[in-house]
């Protein structure tokens, strides 16, 4: 089995020959990529939003809109899924050659279910952030109380010790 | 595991149960008699002793597992903590919490500075005590 050698390092390493003596003689690193970029032949994007179902060529079964009642839609998709599974079982018994459309419907429902669940993730991220901020505020308030108490104790001790020393 | 991941796992397990159900039933079903003229097949040999469940029980067990998985999905959906107000309410709450966090942070900074000053004064007092004791001991 022939093995290929490793690819050589990128040729611009020669530009950094005098970097230790003069850091400005070498070019600065390139700025971070914005927008879309091509890597090993495929295009990727730096914008991390969940692509909508239409962009992936899948029909959306739940109603569009900014305020979706997630629980209701998830439950109705679950019921639809069970009905389609029963329909597939019936079709396999009576007309077995027509399974393909039912299987497609079932896979469409699964894709919609997963897309709904994925679109819940930003909500979860914001809720996690709120929870972390609340915890941090509580810890800081606790620290402020502790420091106040210790300062008062220390000041009391200092006064007592000064008084005892003066009395001597 | 967080609830959304549990929901995703439950969807995948429903899918797995579905195709396992159909696959097993299609593979193991007894053949259909095409015409009454054909003779009955010879009686099947005694099944091996480790084949615990007979084929007649399989559809019932598998459909019960599927329904149980679907019910569990419904229970998980009911347990979703979706306190709504939507995205704007959450963003507003985050802004309020950030402002409160900054205020408490500044208060904490002030307390720390005051505690630092107190520590300095304690150290000065201690060195004053120490030097007076040394002087009284020497003279």
């Amino acid at each position: 089995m022939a093995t290929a050698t490793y690819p050589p390092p990128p040729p611009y390493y020669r530009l950094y020959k005098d970097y230790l003596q003069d850091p400005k003689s070498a070019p600065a690193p390139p700025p971070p990529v914005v927008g879309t970029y091509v890597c090993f032949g495929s295009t990727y994007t730096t914008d991390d939003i969940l692509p909508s179902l239409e962009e992936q060529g899948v029909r959306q079964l739940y109603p569009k809109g900014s305020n979706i009642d997630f629980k209701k839609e998830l439950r109705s998709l679950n019921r639809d899924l069970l009905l389609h599974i029963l329909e597939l079982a019936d079709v396999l018994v009576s007309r077995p050659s027509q399974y393909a459309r039912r299987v497609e419907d079932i896979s469409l429902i699964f894709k919609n279910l997963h897309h709904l669940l994925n679109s819940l993730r930003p909500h979860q991220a914001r809720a996690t952030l709120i929870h972390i901020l609340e915890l941090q505020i509580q810890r800081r308030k606790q620290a402020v109380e502790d420091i106040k108490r210790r300062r008062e104790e220390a000041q009391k001790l200092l006064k007592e010790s000064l008084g005892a020393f003066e009395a001597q | 595991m967080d609830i959304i991941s549990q929901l995703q796992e439950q969807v995948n397990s429903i899918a797995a149960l579905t195709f396992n159900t159909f696959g097993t039933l299609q593979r193991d079903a007894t053949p259909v008699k095409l015409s009454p003229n054909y003779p009955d097949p010879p009686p099947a040999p005694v099944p091996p002793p480790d084949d615990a469940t007979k084929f007649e029980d399989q559809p019932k067990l598998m459909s019960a597992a599927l329904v149980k998985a679907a019910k569990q999905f419904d229970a998980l959906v009911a347990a979703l903590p979706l306190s709504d107000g939507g995205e704007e309410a959450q963003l507003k709450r985050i802004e309020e919490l950030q402002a409160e966090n900054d205020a408490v942070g500044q208060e904490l900074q002030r307390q720390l500075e005051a505690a630092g000053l107190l520590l300095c004064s304690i150290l000065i007092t201690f060195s004053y005590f120490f030097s007076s004791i040394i002087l009284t001991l020497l003279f």
Side-chain angles (χ1 to χ4, degrees):
Chain A
M1 189 177 81
T3 53
T5 53
Y6 284 116
Y12 47 79
Y13 74 92
R14 291 189 202 94
L15 299 169
Y16 293 85
K17 199 161 56 165
D18 297 317
Y19 184 73
L20 279 177
Q21 285 83 30
D22 178 18
K24 291 197 179 30
S25 68
V33 171
V34 176
T36 58
Y37 60 95
V38 177
C39 180
F40 294 130
S42 353
T43 326
Y44 296 90
T45 171
T46 48
D47 200 11
D48 283 323
I49 9 169
L50 180 69
S52 77
L53 280 174
E54 280 81 26
E55 288 167 20
Q56 300 171 31
V58 175
R59 188 161 62 99
Q60 182 165 323
L61 296 171
Y62 55 90
K64 265 185 267 235
S66 48
N67 286 342
I68 309 178
D69 185 359
F70 285 101
K71 290 192 185 185
K72 187 171 102 132
E73 298 303 331
L74 281 170
R75 269 194 273 258
S76 76
L77 277 176
N78 190 23
R79 248 192 316 271
D80 279 345
L81 176 65
L82 287 176
L83 285 173
H84 276 80
I85 290 175
L86 277 176
E87 223 183 296
L88 175 62
D90 278 333
V91 155
L92 284 174
V93 166
S94 51
R95 304 180 294 274
S97 53
Q98 297 183 11
Y99 67 93
R101 191 164 149 241
R102 303 294 184 280
V103 168
E104 253 180 55
D105 286 341
I106 291 180
S107 69
L108 180 68
I109 296 185
F110 272 123
K111 283 179 189 161
N112 273 275
L113 266 170
H114 273 295
H115 189 266
L116 251 185
L117 287 174
N118 283 335
S119 49
L120 273 176
R121 290 287 186 189
H123 184 280
Q124 185 191 17
R126 282 189 291 266
T128 312
L129 182 61
I130 288 174
H131 181 64
I132 290 177
L133 279 171
E134 282 169 357
L135 273 182
Q136 192 174 27
I137 287 175
Q138 194 190 16
R139 273 206 312 265
R140 282 186 178 185
K141 280 186 178 158
Q142 184 69 35
V144 161
E145 292 305 310
D146 280 341
I147 291 178
K148 256 190 206 159
R149 209 165 27 98
R150 301 283 187 197
R151 265 181 60 210
E152 278 161 18
E153 279 174 21
Q155 253 165 351
K156 205 171 66 157
L157 274 176
L158 189 62
K159 272 203 186 93
E160 278 172 16
S161 57
L162 267 173
F165 189 71
E166 298 299 327
Q168 271 185 359
Chain B
M1 206 169 34
D2 63 297
I3 190 150
I4 299 185
S5 307
Q6 280 180 328
L7 277 163
Q8 286 173 323
E9 286 292 325
Q10 195 61 25
V11 171
N12 291 343
S13 71
I14 292 180
L17 281 167
T18 309
F19 57 68
N20 281 336
T21 304
F22 284 119
T24 313
L25 291 176
Q26 281 186 320
R27 184 194 62 188
D28 294 336
T30 50
V32 170
K33 203 171 183 182
L34 288 172
S35 158
N37 299 331
Y38 291 143
D40 284 326
V46 175
D50 57 356
D51 190 1
T53 44
K54 291 197 288 286
F55 179 68
E56 292 85 27
D57 297 332
Q58 295 280 28
K60 233 180 271 183
L61 287 171
M62 288 183 153
S63 50
L66 196 56
V67 168
K68 193 167 139 203
K71 281 207 179 116
Q72 211 168 341
F73 182 79
D74 274 335
L76 282 171
V77 165
L80 269 174
L82 272 179
S83 60
D84 242 321
E87 187 179 337
E88 305 86 23
Q90 278 186 316
L91 288 171
K92 204 160 74 81
R93 177 90 180 118
I94 287 176
E95 271 177 34
E96 286 167 13
L97 283 172
Q98 270 181 321
E100 195 183 340
N101 199 17
D102 285 337
V104 175
Q106 277 167 0
E107 171 68 23
L108 183 61
Q109 189 65 31
R110 274 199 302 270
Q111 291 287 331
L112 281 172
E113 281 166 10
L117 286 173
L118 183 60
L119 179 64
C120 283
S121 65
I122 289 176
L123 288 173
I124 290 170
T125 315
F126 178 70
S127 67
Y128 165 68
F129 286 169
F130 186 63
S131 52
S132 352
I133 290 173
I134 292 287
L135 285 171
T136 47
L137 281 177
L138 283 175
F139 297 112

